[in-house]
Amino acid sequence: MAKGKYEEWLTPEGLVCLEGWARDGLTDEEIAGKIGIARTTLYAWKNRYSDISDALKKGKEVVDYQVENALLYKALAGDVTAQIFWLKNRRPGKWRDKPIEPAAEGGVQIVDNIPG
C-alpha cells in the first residue's frame, strides 16, 4: 500500500520545513504549491493533523510578532501612519473613523459625521 503524501510532512523534517515556509511569509496557497497539493488539501490536512496545523501556526506567529514589534517601533519613533494604524486596530472604540454610538433602541449605530 502506498504511503499518503501527507505522511512525509508529519516527519520532524517535514514539520520543520512547513514551519520555516510559514515563518518566511509564504501563504497557505504558496505552501500547498511547494508541496504539490491544492490549497483545499492543505486545509484538510490542517484540520486532520494537528502537527501540521501547529507547525504552520508556530511559523506564522514568529513573523507576526516581528511585524508587530516593527510597527510599534515605527509608531513610537513618530511615524504618524504607524501611529494611526496602531490606534485604529488596538483601540477601535476610540480611534476608528466612524465611532460607534448606542442607538436609541439599545442597538448600535455608526456615526459618520467626522470632517475630513
Side-chain angles (χ1 to χ4, degrees):
M1 178 183 254
K3 290 171 72 172
K5 192 167 191 168
Y6 67 89
E7 290 181 3
E8 161 185 1
W9 301 101
L10 289 171
T11 65
E13 297 82 12
L15 293 170
V16 166
C17 191
L18 291 173
E19 183 181 330
W21 285 336
R23 187 177 50 249
D24 289 344
L26 273 65
T27 64
D28 283 351
E29 187 165 0
E30 293 168 327
I31 291 170
K34 283 191 165 285
I35 295 172
I37 59 173
R39 185 190 69 219
T40 54
T41 301
L42 180 60
Y43 291 153
W45 288 5
K46 287 167 55 175
N47 287 328
R48 179 172 281 162
Y49 307 107
S50 61
D51 287 346
I52 290 175
S53 178
D54 292 345
L56 294 171
K57 285 179 187 175
K58 186 176 177 184
K60 291 176 182 180
E61 188 175 272
V62 170
V63 175
D64 289 345
Y65 281 128
Q66 289 173 338
V67 171
E68 192 175 297
N69 287 335
L71 176 62
L72 176 59
Y73 176 80
K74 294 281 283 184
L76 294 176
D79 183 319
V80 175
T81 302
Q83 291 169 346
I84 292 168
F85 184 83
W86 184 271
L87 290 169
K88 283 183 179 183
N89 284 280
R90 294 284 297 223
R91 302 198 58 190
K94 185 173 182 181
W95 290 96
R96 63 184 285 146
D97 288 334
K98 297 178 181 180
I100 297 175
E101 292 184 3
E105 298 172 8
V108 174
Q109 77 181 45
I110 302 207
V111 178
D112 191 11
N113 62 355
I114 299 173

